[in-house]
């Protein structure tokens, strides 16, 4: 049964790839109504909230260039969500922006004033996250929220994966991070499917090369999230390509969630070690898992 599910999932993926306007989710509505923002971090400003600097009396400047990614947009409001554990709070900053491109800058004082759970710099805690997005009013009066009022995503995977625009920007409360680069990977893992050859399942110390892209602020994208294991195991299903994954580095603690090639959810955990290596564990909804050591080349 699992094999059948995987095959159908892969076929569904192949159907979806050519169409970036319909992934079966809310993004189809966003495209049809014609409104998408583009928020880009200004490279000369901070790309994360530096906890060490805050503890030493410092501040931060979160700068964004705001443009229209697509559509007949009349105005935008800049909104932000502060996540502290399970608590998510919403605030509105610049409102009724009508001239594009526009520049938005958020300071420590702006964030503290906007969120009731923050009264001073000491209330910023490791692992907190600020997410900035926009709410659009189209020329026909339609209002589009990129994020729901609880901070959950109101758009599909096609928009999330787009290289043409960014509809949200995240700022982690974290420490400085520099994990980008090319890594030699040794992975050990087990598949719960019958497809892999017996000599490949379970597998120990499978070698692979993965590129980790630094997105700024402790956010990273991996060229292949599985250290080549899913290609090794599932090439018989047509999975002969790398599958990207993502994670955040919060002062050496790595964590992330992402969707795999078969539509399954994946959870990644790990650590950035003092010797420069990364220790990463991933596990998917099917029960497949892998453990890997990443050594920067």
């Amino acid at each position: 049964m699992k094999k059948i599910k995987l095959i159908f999932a892969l076929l569904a993926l192949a159907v979806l790839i050519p169409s970036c306007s319909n992934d079966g989710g809310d993004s189809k509505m966003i495209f049809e109504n014609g409104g998408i923002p583009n928020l880009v971090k200004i490279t000369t400003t901070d790309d994360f909230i530096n906890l060490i600097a805050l503890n030493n009396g410092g501040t931060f400047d979160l700068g964004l260039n705001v443009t229209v990614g697509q559509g007949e947009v009349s105005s935008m409001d800049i909104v932000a969500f502060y996540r502290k554990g399970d608590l998510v709070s919403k605030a509105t900053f610049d409102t009724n922006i009508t001239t594009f491109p526009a520049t938005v800058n958020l300071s420590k004082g702006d964030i503290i004033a906007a969120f009731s759970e923050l009264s001073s710099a000491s209330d910023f805690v490791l692992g907190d996250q600020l997410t900035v997005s926009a709410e659009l009013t189209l020329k026909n009066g339609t209002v589009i929220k990129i994020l729901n009022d609880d901070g959950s995503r109101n758009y599909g995977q096609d928009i999330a994966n787009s290289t043409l625009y960014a509809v949200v920007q995240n700022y982690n409360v974290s420490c400085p991070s520099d994990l980008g680069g090319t890594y030699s990977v040794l992975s050990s893992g087990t598949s719960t499917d019958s497809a892999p050859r017996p000599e490949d399942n379970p597998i120990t110390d499978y070698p692979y090369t993965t590129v980790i892209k630094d997105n700024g602020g402790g956010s990273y994208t991996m060229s292949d999230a599985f250290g080549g294991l899913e290609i090794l195991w599932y090439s018989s299903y047509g999975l002969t390509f790398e599958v990207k994954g993502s994670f955040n580095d919060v002062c050496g603690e790595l964590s992330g969630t992402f969707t795999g090639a078969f539509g399954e959810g994946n959870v990644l955990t790990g650590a950035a070690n003092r010797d420069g290596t990364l220790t990463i564990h991933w596990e998917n909804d099917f029960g497949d898992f892998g453990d890997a050591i990443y050594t920067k080349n």
Side-chain angles (χ1 to χ4, degrees):
M1 178 62 70
K2 180 182 175 185
K3 180 176 179 180
I4 294 174
K5 288 181 180 179
L6 288 174
I7 292 173
F8 276 110
L10 188 57
L11 290 173
L13 179 68
V15 170
L16 289 176
I17 287 174
S19 174
C20 66
S21 62
N22 183 2
D23 64 358
D26 293 318
S27 57
K28 181 181 179 185
M29 175 272 294
I30 292 174
F31 271 102
E32 289 177 344
N33 286 318
I36 298 174
N38 185 31
L39 283 66
V40 178
K41 291 180 179 180
I42 299 174
T43 56
T44 55
T45 63
D46 297 307
D47 57 9
F48 73 106
I49 299 173
N50 189 329
L51 185 62
I52 296 176
L54 285 177
N55 290 338
N56 290 325
T59 186
F60 54 79
D61 174 26
L62 312 180
L64 293 169
N65 283 319
V66 180
T67 59
V68 176
Q70 176 177 309
E72 299 294 322
V73 176
S74 175
S75 65
M76 288 190 203
D77 294 345
I78 299 301
V79 296
F81 299 81
Y82 197 87
R83 291 173 169 81
K84 180 180 284 292
D86 294 331
L87 177 66
V88 180
S89 301
K90 178 183 177 182
T92 302
F93 291 93
D94 294 41
T95 60
N96 198 34
I97 299 173
T98 57
T99 302
F100 304 99
T103 300
V104 173
N105 291 84
L106 302 177
S107 68
K108 178 178 71 173
D110 294 330
I111 303 304
I112 291 175
F115 296 100
S116 60
E117 61 266 43
L118 301 174
S119 58
S120 68
S122 62
D123 293 321
F124 290 89
V125 176
L126 186 67
D128 290 0
Q129 184 183 68
L130 179 75
T131 299
V132 182
S133 187
E135 295 181 356
L136 287 62
T137 299
L138 306 184
K139 291 183 178 179
N140 64 7
T142 300
V143 175
I144 294 177
K145 294 184 177 183
I146 300 301
L147 298 176
N148 298 309
D149 288 341
D150 62 359
S152 60
R153 202 170 76 178
N154 193 35
Y155 56 91
Q157 197 62 35
D158 53 349
I159 290 179
N161 292 338
S162 174
T163 59
L164 301 178
Y165 34 70
V167 297
V168 299
Q169 290 291 352
N170 293 315
Y171 296 90
N172 299 319
V173 179
S174 186
C175 307
S177 178
D178 184 22
L179 303 182
T182 300
Y183 287 79
S184 295
V185 184
L186 290 177
S187 293
S188 301
T190 300
S191 167
T192 57
D193 194 77
S194 60
R197 300 179 304 169
E199 60 267 35
D200 294 332
N201 187 32
I203 191 74
T204 301
D205 289 343
Y206 181 71
Y208 199 75
T209 299
T210 297
V211 176
I212 296 180
K213 178 185 176 183
D214 189 343
N215 300 315
S219 174
Y220 295 91
T221 302
M222 314 162 76
S223 61
D224 187 272
F226 308 107
L229 290 189
E230 287 212 339
I231 297 175
L232 174 70
W233 289 338
Y234 302 132
S235 59
S236 60
Y237 294 150
L239 202 168
T240 57
F241 50 89
E242 293 190 323
V243 179
K244 291 183 178 181
S246 58
F247 67 86
N248 289 320
D249 170 26
V250 179
C251 296
E253 182 177 337
L254 313 182
S255 63
T257 58
F258 53 91
T259 302
F262 304 112
E264 83 285 3
N266 291 270
V267 176
L268 180 151
T269 56
N273 305 310
R274 290 187 177 182
D275 63 1
T277 64
L278 309 180
T279 304
I280 287 179
H281 171 84
W282 61 267
E283 188 164 350
N284 66 25
D285 291 342
F286 300 128
D288 303 342
F289 68 89
D291 291 285
I293 298 294
Y294 285 63
T295 303
K296 185 177 284 190
N297 294 345

